[in-house]
Amino acid sequence: MIFNMKKQNGISVIEFSIVSTVLLICLFGVLELSKFVFSLQMLNEMTRKAARMATVCEIDQGSVIPGLNSIISIAPTDYEPSMLKIDYLDDTGVTIYSGTGTITNEDFLEIKFVRAKVENFSFGFTLLSSLLGDNVGIPAFETILPSESLGIYRPDGDGNEIAGPSCL
């Protein structure tokens, strides 16, 4: 009888180790997945905020927006400012200005939309990298908003010029 009890205790230890291993892998998988989804949401929020800033800031400041603290503070850990692009589009979605060079007055008047787009971002798994891989490429995230003032402010009713927000 005593000999059978020892066999049962050994089986219980093996069963526990198998079940606990599976449960821990599932737990770590849920943690990794939640971290991944959170990073996707932060990319979405980052493009939304950058596009909003680009609609009210001067066009020549569009290249500065990806490196601002307000953008970097909400970005996932693997983000680099070169991944975020600000483009100014016409009413058909064609890029008129992308932050380099000069823009003519005619082109400026054609701008109807602003696009903030994150490209070449890859998420690095940490807990289960041997099962899920080291990095996963993320498709481009973009937000397109209608252009607003683009840094040009009309004078108030008394003819006084209103100072616009500083985007720097």
Side-chain angles (χ1 to χ4, degrees), residues 18-89:
I18 292 171
V19 170
S20 64
T21 302
V22 171
L23 287 175
L24 284 174
I25 288 174
C26 289
L27 177 67
F28 288 135
V30 167
L31 290 174
E32 281 289 316
L33 183 62
S34 61
K35 184 179 166 188
F36 176 70
V37 171
F38 181 75
S39 292
L40 295 179
Q41 181 58 32
M42 288 298 96
L43 287 174
N44 188 33
E45 177 64 16
M46 192 174 67
T47 60
R48 187 203 63 77
K49 193 171 194 175
R52 176 70 185 124
M53 290 179 71
T55 62
V56 297
C57 294
E58 294 179 13
I59 288 183
D60 60 351
Q61 295 175 351
S63 60
V64 177
I65 292 173
L68 293 177
N69 285 336
S70 60
I71 299 297
I72 293 174
S73 66
I74 61 172
T77 55
D78 298 334
Y79 168 76
E80 295 176 16
S82 63
M83 296 175 181
L84 179 62
K85 305 283 188 244
I86 307 290
D87 295 321
Y88 298 89
L89 313 172

Side-chain angles (χ1 to χ4, degrees), residues 93-154:
V94 175
T95 301
I96 293 177
Y97 183 71
S98 57
T100 57
T102 59
I103 184 168
T104 65
N105 192 37
E106 292 81 23
D107 286 343
F108 180 82
L109 295 174
E110 290 295 318
I111 295 174
K112 302 296 182 216
F113 298 99
V114 175
R115 176 179 57 205
K117 186 175 188 177
V118 173
E119 295 179 309
N120 303 322
F121 182 82
S122 61
F123 179 79
F125 288 104
T126 54
L127 296 174
L128 297 175
S129 61
S130 60
L131 293 175
L132 300 173
D134 289 337
N135 289 324
V136 173
I138 305 296
F141 271 78
E142 69 179 37
T143 299
I144 299 174
L145 295 176
S147 63
E148 292 181 17
S149 65
L150 297 175
I152 306 298
Y153 294 93
R154 297 184 176 108

